[in-house]
Amino acid sequence: MTSPVFLYGSPVLRKVSSDIPEDYPELDELIDNLFETMYHSDGIGLAAPQIGKSLRIFVVDASSLEEEDSSLSGFKRVFINPRIISYEGELTVYNEGCLSIPDIREDVERESAIHIRYCDSDFNYREEYFEGMAARIIQHEYDHLEGRLFTDLISPLKKRLLKRKLTSISKGRVEVKYRVKHA
Ligand code: NI
């Protein structure tokens, strides 16, 4: 099953998500839904708020990029109730996009490495260190759980230049091959 992707301007994208209880009844369905919706939209990460659920979970699969970046080989994970416990390394810039903000890409500065605690799909606690592109993808998805979007991290001038485009996205005026929903 796939879900519509909620677009920029949807209130759910601005909420801080709640932890998922260990006995959450539809966890497997939610995980499948996130992966299927992400693959269907050609994304490499998707967070629950993007399908309208204010829950602390996101999925990533960047293994398709391994030819360009060998560090991403096998980088497929489910992150439940994640907490980034430290940001490390140096600031790097990369041109990011987001399924909730189609057709906009902007340079975003982020830390090059992170330590993160989370539960996997079997609710086993894990603590892991990520760097490079994996660390960037995780930070982008993690921000969704905090109600933050990458457009919050660009300069006020750039944001002003994007204002009309963002307004039209929030009204559902987008041309993408996946299902979308707007506020
Ligand atoms: Ni995103």
Side-chain angles (χ1 to χ4, degrees), residues 83-135:
R83 295 284 186 280
I84 292 180
I85 48 180
S86 64
Y87 292 87
E88 288 162 31
E90 59 208 33
L91 289 171
T92 59
V93 172
Y94 186 82
N95 202 245
E96 292 189 17
C98 179
L99 293 174
S100 295
I101 316 175
D103 296 328
I104 291 184
R105 297 194 72 91
E106 288 293 337
D107 284 347
V108 179
E109 214 175 51
R110 294 191 191 273
E111 245 88 7
S112 61
I114 52 158
H115 260 110
I116 188 168
R117 274 194 204 120
Y118 66 99
C119 294
D120 64 18
S121 55
D122 297 317
F123 257 93
N124 296 311
Y125 281 86
R126 293 179 178 275
E127 188 174 320
E128 259 186 292
Y129 172 80
F130 292 95
E131 55 188 3
M133 192 52 125

Side-chain angles (χ1 to χ4, degrees), residues 8 17 30 34 68-69 75 85 129 166 173 180:
Y8 184 93
S17 301
L30 177 58
L34 284 166
E68 295 131 67
D69 184 338
F75 180 53
I85 48 180
Y129 172 80
L166 290 170
R173 291 189 211 119
V180 293

